[in-house]
Amino acid sequence: LILRSDNADTRLTGLGYELGLIDEKRYERVREKVEFIGRVVEELATVILPPTGRVNDRLAAFGTTPIIGQVSLLELLRRPEVEAGHIEEFYPALAMMPAELKKQIEVEVKYEGYIKRQQSQIRQFKRLESKKIPADIDYKGLNGLTIQAREKLDRVRPQSIGQASRVSGVSPADINALLIHIEQLIGGNNRENADRDTISTLS
């Protein structure tokens, strides 16, 4: 959901600008696009439709259920069967937008909850990547690991918990045991619990 082709410019232009690969004019154009999409999503939440016969007739034409109370365009667009083009008559500004921009707005709205959860997982992954494993750790003598995990980790010798979690044959339970062992070496029970929660979430 995060690494989509339709948002490649908004994800990567800032990095390209920092590296000197993209000029300021293009960078500003993309930055304005991001701000524009944000404004449109906010405005969709403010446009409220009443449960009138005309509105429900239009909704029926879209193949979606009628409304029995006031509903915002943002809530309507979250419905799987409703597309951005369907709500243009209630928000004419959409009709003036390029098709790819309307699609991007639609994806952002429909999958907002999933995107936020994935962004949270990305932050958790990054934290695990930064959690280093002592170079001299003795996997074969580490309690709590399966025999397979001991052999695999001893052979690969991962440098971080994130890398260890991607080793074939190493389960989330093995990673939790490894986290406990590392925390016992360096202390910090609160961090141990947070990292173990992370492994549980990502698994």
Side-chain angles (χ1 to χ4, degrees):
L1 289 178
I2 299 296
L3 303 180
R4 309 190 312 270
S5 59
D6 67 289
N7 69 356
D9 57 342
T10 60
R11 286 187 292 105
L12 301 175
T13 299
L15 178 60
Y17 179 70
E18 291 177 6
L19 296 174
L21 303 174
I22 292 176
D23 60 42
E24 187 167 0
K25 183 177 181 180
R26 180 177 176 184
Y27 170 71
E28 287 297 325
R29 188 163 62 246
V30 173
R31 190 177 63 81
E32 290 173 358
K33 175 184 176 181
V34 173
E35 293 177 352
F36 176 76
I37 291 175
R39 286 198 304 272
V40 170
V41 172
E42 289 178 357
E43 289 174 5
L44 289 177
T46 66
V47 180
I48 307 299
L49 297 183
T52 63
R54 171 181 171 274
V55 169
N56 280 327
D57 286 345
R58 295 301 298 148
L59 295 182
F62 305 154
T64 190
T65 56
I67 58 177
I68 57 176
Q70 293 186 335
V71 173
S72 71
L73 290 184
L74 189 66
E75 292 173 292
L76 275 182
L77 192 54
R78 286 187 178 132
R79 294 184 177 186
E81 63 275 11
V82 176
E83 301 176 2
H86 292 156
I87 62 175
E88 287 180 354
E89 63 181 279
F90 306 115
Y91 187 72
L94 272 177
M96 307 298 293
M97 299 177 195
E100 63 271 14
L101 184 57
K102 285 192 286 188
K103 190 63 178 178
Q104 189 170 347
I105 291 171
E106 184 178 318
V107 171
E108 293 289 339
V109 170
K110 288 185 181 298
Y111 299 104
E112 179 185 13
Y114 298 101
I115 290 173
K116 286 182 177 179
R117 185 170 67 182
Q118 196 165 88
Q119 287 172 335
S120 176
Q121 290 176 333
I122 290 171
R123 289 191 295 270
Q124 293 169 342
F125 268 120
K126 287 181 177 179
R127 191 170 82 236
L128 292 179
E129 287 296 336
S130 65
K131 192 169 189 64
K132 301 301 181 183
I133 299 175
D136 59 350
I137 190 170
D138 179 15
Y139 290 109
K140 292 184 177 179
L142 202 159
N143 293 327
L145 293 182
T146 62
I147 295 176
Q148 182 183 29
R150 293 178 187 179
E151 294 176 348
K152 292 287 186 71
L153 292 171
D154 188 61
R155 182 168 65 250
V156 176
R157 308 299 299 183
Q159 298 180 0
S160 70
I161 292 294
Q163 185 182 354
S165 69
R166 295 190 295 274
V167 175
S168 175
V170 177
S171 70
D174 293 320
I175 296 300
N176 280 335
L178 182 56
L179 280 168
I180 292 173
H181 180 72
I182 293 174
E183 291 299 335
Q184 288 174 342
L185 291 177
I186 63 177
N189 291 330
N190 289 336
R191 175 59 70 180
E192 171 196 326
N193 292 335
D195 288 335
R196 291 174 67 189
D197 288 344
T198 294
I199 290 295
S200 176
T201 299
L202 297 180
S203 63

